[in-house]
């Protein structure tokens, strides 16, 4: 494992309410920090039930007078189905930050050394803005979309009481994507993520000099693999399976989260089960 990011201002706090009782936004929580109740921004919402009253979270001060909240929730401590304490990344935006560091440090075996990086890249007439456009030392060009993954599947006999997650179909704990709110059963969880996948597949078919790639960044240390969330979102998951079968490069990498640092652990396998 290699340290890729160090926190110098993270503080532990306890969640009292989410949404906040003071300002009823799903992106705000009431937390207790240094014996004082304050507002905190929760960019990952409730992390499908893990950011809830009594949860222990790691927060950073945002030092912005114009914001209603003084702090941002960066991670939450959970107990997994092995009864082990694990820190889970709770800020989706940080996946891009960590991925950027990994490619700058040339730590990913599936990417050559990077010579040029552009963020928020829009390609030709495609609607999406992709997270990264990079050029490498061997003159290859990549469009890369990064997705944050904080959740896992569970064995049926250890399913959390507060919410049903996908049932584990093998002995390995799998990170899962996507997961979250659906307006109606059968609809995709994230139309934006589906559009990204559709356009990455189109770029692969139509651009010989450009390599599209999808990377899932798992912000927890207890996964043996990654699997699409077939139970919750079959539309996205079946398209992801099809895209992999048609040669789209899809990778999953795992990080160790801690209030002091973030470590890169390794690439983990994609399990299409």
């Amino acid at each position: 494992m290699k340290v890729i990011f160090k926190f110098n201002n993270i503080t532990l706090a306890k969640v009292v309410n989410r949404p906040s009782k003071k300002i009823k936004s799903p992106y705000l929580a009431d937390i207790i920090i240094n014996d004082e109740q304050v507002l905190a921004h929760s960019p990952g919402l409730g992390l499908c039930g893990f950011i809830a009253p009594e949860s222990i979270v790691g927060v950073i001060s945002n030092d912005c007078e114009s914001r209603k909240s003084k702090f941002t929730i960066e991670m939450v401590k959970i107990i997994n189905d092995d009864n082990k304490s694990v820190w889970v990344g709770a800020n989706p935006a940080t996946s891009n930050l960590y991925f950027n560091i990994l490619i700058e440090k040339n730590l990913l075996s599936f990417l050559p050394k990077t010579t040029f990086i552009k963020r928020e890249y829009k390609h030709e007439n495609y609607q999406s803005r992709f997270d990264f456009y990079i050029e490498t030392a061997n003159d290859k060009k990549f469009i890369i979309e990064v997705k944050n993954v904080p959740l896992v599947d569970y064995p049926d006999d250890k399913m959390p009481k507060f919410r049903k997650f996908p049932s584990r179909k093998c002995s390995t704990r799998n990170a899962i994507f996507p997961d979250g709110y659906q307006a109606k059963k059968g609809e995709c969880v994230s139309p934006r993520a589906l559009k990204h996948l559709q356009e990455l597949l189109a770029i692969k078919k139509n651009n010989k000099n450009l390599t599209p790639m999808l990377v899932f960044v798992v912000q927890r240390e207890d996964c043996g693999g990654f699997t699409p969330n077939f139970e919750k979102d079959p539309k996205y998951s079946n398209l992801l399976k099809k895209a992999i079968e048609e040669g789209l490069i899809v990778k999953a990498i795992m990080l160790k989260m801690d209030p002091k640092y973030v470590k890169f652990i390794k690439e983990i396998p994609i399990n299409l089960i």
Side-chain angles (χ1 to χ4, degrees):
M1 290 191 289
K2 186 174 182 63
V3 174
I4 61 169
F5 187 83
K6 292 183 180 180
F7 295 101
N8 56 18
N9 61 343
I10 204 160
T11 307
L12 300 189
K14 183 168 73 172
V15 176
V16 180
N17 305 295
R18 197 213 65 89
S20 165
K21 290 276 181 78
K22 184 178 180 181
I23 301 176
K24 297 188 181 298
S25 163
Y27 288 98
L28 289 172
D30 298 320
I31 63 170
I32 296 290
I33 185 168
N34 298 327
D35 297 322
E36 178 186 6
Q37 182 169 312
V38 296
L39 285 170
H41 177 218
S42 185
L45 299 172
L47 215 66
C48 294
F50 288 109
I51 298 176
E54 303 300 315
S55 298
I56 301 301
V57 293
V59 302
I60 59 172
S61 174
N62 55 48
D63 295 324
C64 181
E65 294 182 1
S66 63
R67 292 181 62 175
K68 295 176 181 178
S69 55
K70 294 182 179 180
F71 298 92
T72 298
I73 297 175
E74 292 293 321
M75 61 186 69
V76 58
K77 182 185 282 188
I78 70 163
I79 303 297
N80 69 14
D81 58 271
D82 291 330
N83 203 34
K84 293 181 180 179
S85 176
V86 177
W87 284 101
V88 177
N91 185 348
T94 57
S95 279
N96 284 12
L97 168 64
Y98 303 145
F99 184 78
N100 202 132
I101 294 169
L102 287 166
I103 57 177
E104 285 181 342
K105 292 182 177 294
N106 195 33
L107 293 175
L108 299 175
S109 61
F110 53 83
L111 278 172
K113 185 175 180 179
T114 301
T115 57
F116 178 79
I117 301 172
K118 181 177 175 61
R119 302 282 296 269
E120 294 295 316
Y121 177 74
K122 194 173 188 303
H123 182 65
E124 295 179 347
N125 296 322
Y126 293 95
Q127 296 179 4
S128 299
R129 286 189 180 275
F130 297 99
D131 291 320
F132 293 89
Y133 165 81
I134 70 170
E135 297 176 1
T136 63
N138 59 353
D139 295 324
K140 289 191 175 182
K141 300 175 182 179
F142 294 83
I143 284 180
I144 304 174
E145 181 64 21
V146 173
K147 297 300 181 188
N148 181 62
V149 185
L151 303 176
V152 300
D153 54 13
Y154 278 82
D156 286 331
D157 61 342
K158 295 183 180 179
M159 191 69 67
K161 294 181 179 179
F162 61 83
R163 191 178 186 279
K164 180 171 170 43
F165 290 90
S167 298
R168 191 167 303 157
K169 296 178 177 63
C170 60
S171 59
T172 300
R173 180 184 293 107
N174 285 287
I176 55 168
F177 183 93
D179 205 296
Y181 174 76
Q182 287 170 296
K184 293 181 181 179
K185 188 175 181 180
E187 291 186 357
C188 62
V189 170
S190 172
R192 182 172 176 268
L194 182 65
K195 175 62 74 174
H196 280 142
L197 181 54
Q198 290 168 335
E199 294 194 345
L200 287 172
L201 197 50
I203 291 169
K204 183 189 181 304
K205 293 177 180 178
N206 299 322
N207 295 263
K208 293 183 179 180
N209 298 320
L210 192 58
T211 302
M213 181 183 294
L214 179 58
V215 180
F216 295 99
V217 177
V218 180
Q219 291 201 43
R220 56 189 294 163
E221 64 188 272
D222 58 346
C223 300
F226 167 89
T227 185
N229 193 345
F230 290 101
E231 291 183 32
K232 183 69 175 285
D233 193 336
K235 187 174 184 179
Y236 179 91
S237 299
N238 286 323
L239 182 60
L240 180 60
K241 182 178 180 180
K242 177 185 176 184
I244 293 171
E245 290 169 348
E246 292 184 3
L248 180 70
I249 300 174
V250 179
K251 300 291 185 178
I253 58 176
M254 185 165 59
L255 306 178
K256 176 180 174 62
M257 308 300 295
D258 183 273
K260 294 181 180 179
Y261 52 74
V262 178
K263 286 184 176 181
F264 171 58
I265 302 176
K266 62 180 180 179
E267 180 183 352
I268 56 175
I270 307 290
N271 298 319
L272 299 176
I273 56 176

